[in-house]
Amino acid sequence: MTARDTTSTSIMNLLPLVDSPAEDRVTAIFAEIEDELGAVPSIFRAHAHHPGLLEANWHKFKAVMLNGCLSAQLKEGMGLVISADNHCDYGIYHHSASLAKLGVDAEEIMRIRTDPEHVHFSGREHALFDLARHANIAPCDHGERLVIAARKLGARDDEIVEALGVMELVVGFNHFADMVCLEPQRDR
């Protein structure tokens, strides 16, 4: 199944975005996404060309970004700094918009993006933030010191795993969005 006859595309997107899914499975996932997020972001509309991947990515997004033990503000901050480090306009836009929806002011959003060492997180949160960022920037540097530092500041193993899960999800979405020149939905 392909939904190419029910898609829209922009000048930039290399993949058309599925607007009206042909498969009931995709329609149900879109309804769930819209219920949770208020809209279906273009990254999920692009993934809809492969329903199994759409479903897997939506489940991972829910587990990592919507559920878990870390605050939404911390996870969206991780997403923003990782997207900025990766120069991913799609990610920068969406994580900035999500932080604004959470009540984070524009100055703090810019600080997360451009001066992350001075972000207003607790010591434990900052250690987890630094761990996720480091795992993206220097994945071959094992980062034991950052895990040890996070634990010394009270981070639990589930929080460490979740921080790394945020990094993993965001990096994958960044690369996908960049490869297909995905534009953010500015009407979010």
Side-chain angles (χ1 to χ4, degrees):
M1 174 320 285
T2 102
R4 293 192 190 277
D5 56 319
T6 58
T7 60
S8 65
T9 187
S10 75
I11 295 170
M12 290 294 295
N13 294 335
L14 295 177
L15 284 176
L17 303 179
V18 175
D19 292 322
S20 301
E23 281 193 29
D24 290 343
R25 175 181 176 190
V26 175
T27 300
I29 295 167
F30 274 17
E32 187 178 337
I33 293 169
E34 189 160 359
D35 187 49
E36 288 286 338
L37 304 180
V40 180
S42 50
I43 197 147
F44 292 116
R45 291 186 182 281
H47 275 111
H49 292 286
H50 188 298
L53 189 56
L54 167 67
E55 185 172 33
N57 281 326
W58 172 238
H59 285 299
K60 184 159 188 170
F61 182 89
K62 285 191 305 184
V64 172
M65 298 303 288
L66 300 181
N67 298 308
C69 49
L70 301 178
S71 73
Q73 183 174 332
L74 176 59
K75 291 187 281 193
E76 291 295 344
M78 290 172 180
L80 176 56
V81 76
I82 289 166
S83 295
D85 287 340
N86 292 340
H87 307 286
C88 179
D89 292 337
Y90 181 89
I92 291 168
Y93 174 80
H94 278 284
H95 293 291
S96 295
S98 293
L99 283 164
K101 278 179 139 178
L102 291 169
V104 178
D105 66 56
E107 187 176 312
E108 183 72 357
I109 292 170
M110 186 56 71
R111 185 177 297 112
I112 292 168
R113 183 176 170 188
T114 62
D115 188 19
E117 291 181 19
H118 296 100
V119 173
H120 297 108
F121 289 133
S122 71
R124 179 187 61 77
E125 290 173 322
H126 223 297
L128 291 164
F129 179 89
D130 290 345
L131 175 64
R133 184 175 191 218
H134 180 82
N136 174 54
I137 294 171
C140 294
D141 174 13
H142 298 282
E144 294 92 349
R145 65 183 165 70
L146 294 169
V147 172
I148 291 167
R151 282 191 176 130
K152 282 184 181 176
L153 290 168
R156 302 181 317 260
D157 289 345
D158 60 335
E159 293 173 323
I160 291 167
V161 170
E162 189 170 323
L164 293 172
V166 170
M167 176 278 306
E168 179 186 25
L169 178 78
V170 171
V171 168
F173 278 13
N174 284 176
H175 291 310
F176 180 89
D178 285 343
M179 279 303 298
V180 299
C181 303
L182 199 59
E183 292 183 328
Q185 293 174 314
R186 304 243 180 241
D187 59 351
R188 222 179 111 150

